[in-house]
Amino acid sequence: MKMNPRSVKKTRLQLLHQYYSYTGFYKFLGTSLKKALPPILLFIAGLLIINYFVININDLLIYVTENYADYIVFSVFFASESLLGLIPPEIFIAWSDKAASPILYLSILALLSYLGGVISYFIGKAITKIPAVHEYLEVKMAKHIKNTRKWGGFLIVVGALLPIPFSITSIAAGMIRYSFVSYLLFGLLRFVRFYLYALAIFNLV
């Protein structure tokens, strides 16, 4: 006796795959990867151009390391990661390579980025209590907020791993009051991003 295909129950993984296929998550992920690649290549090309035609990158980073206190650089980075990710973290990753303990400094940067995301999450929650600001950002971040509502944790994973401002993803998560515990767990992939990028950047500078 043949079993009716409709009677076969799908596993949770199959249902999730079906959901993300129908809602366009995979298409969004592919588009995000295509958008993420050019900035990475431009950053690498920019480093090489500056290094060969403007100023030696090693000398510049050593100058910053010797003339600016570590806490100042860390403070600037933390502020950036808490407020829309205004400065590319790759610059700071390159800086950490010239520190006395590169892995320690890289880990501190990853932790600060993670904590900056947490602050952004609470900024997002606080914004919901200010009607005018909330309405403004609902319009400006409409697509991001809509995607966060649809995909939740998977979008946070994308924000944590890809070279897009993690702060924006975190603010959106806070605005929709996404589970804070789940946010913290998915956000840990921010550490993975920093270590992976360091493997490439440390070999360039």
Side-chain angles (χ1 to χ4, degrees), residues 30-46 163:
T31 302
S32 297
L33 287 171
K34 288 179 182 178
K35 288 182 178 179
L37 189 58
I40 294 173
L41 295 177
L42 284 173
F43 176 78
I44 294 174

Side-chain angles (χ1 to χ4, degrees), residues 12-180:
R12 179 176 173 79
L13 188 61
Q14 288 174 320
L15 290 172
L16 281 172
H17 169 67
Q18 187 178 59
Y19 171 74
Y20 289 120
S21 296
Y22 288 163
T23 56
F25 176 75
Y26 297 126
K27 183 179 180 181
F28 167 81
L29 187 59
T31 302
S32 297
L33 287 171
K34 288 179 182 178
K35 288 182 178 179
L37 189 58
I40 294 173
L41 295 177
L42 284 173
F43 176 78
I44 294 174
L47 275 181
L48 293 174
I49 291 171
I50 292 172
N51 186 65
Y52 288 110
F53 299 105
V54 182
I55 186 173
N56 186 278
I57 294 295
N58 279 306
D59 293 342
L60 177 61
L61 293 173
I62 291 172
Y63 174 82
V64 173
T65 302
E66 293 178 344
N67 291 274
Y68 292 91
D70 295 341
Y71 76 88
I72 292 178
V73 179
F74 284 133
S75 297
V76 170
F77 176 71
F78 182 61
S80 172
E81 290 295 278
S82 302
L83 302 170
L84 304 180
L86 301 175
I87 307 175
E90 289 78 12
I91 294 174
F92 296 91
I93 293 175
W95 166 79
S96 70
D97 186 37
K98 303 306 171 187
S101 303
I103 300 301
L104 173 61
Y105 276 54
L106 178 67
S107 299
I108 293 173
L109 289 174
L111 177 61
L112 290 175
S113 179
Y114 178 72
L115 295 177
V118 172
I119 288 179
S120 295
Y121 175 91
F122 282 108
I123 287 175
K125 288 190 68 174
I127 284 171
T128 60
K129 299 178 182 178
I130 309 173
V133 178
H134 181 255
E135 289 174 11
Y136 174 78
L137 287 180
E138 277 278 7
V139 174
K140 288 293 183 180
M141 298 175 59
K143 185 176 181 180
H144 212 85
I145 292 171
K146 179 182 177 182
N147 289 340
T148 305
R149 286 195 174 107
K150 281 195 298 184
W151 303 320
F154 278 89
L155 193 63
I156 295 171
V157 168
V158 170
L161 290 175
L162 296 184
I164 57 178
F166 183 52
S167 178
I168 294 178
T169 301
S170 300
I171 289 175
M175 289 178 71
I176 68 167
R177 297 184 178 276
Y178 182 75
S179 167
F180 184 57

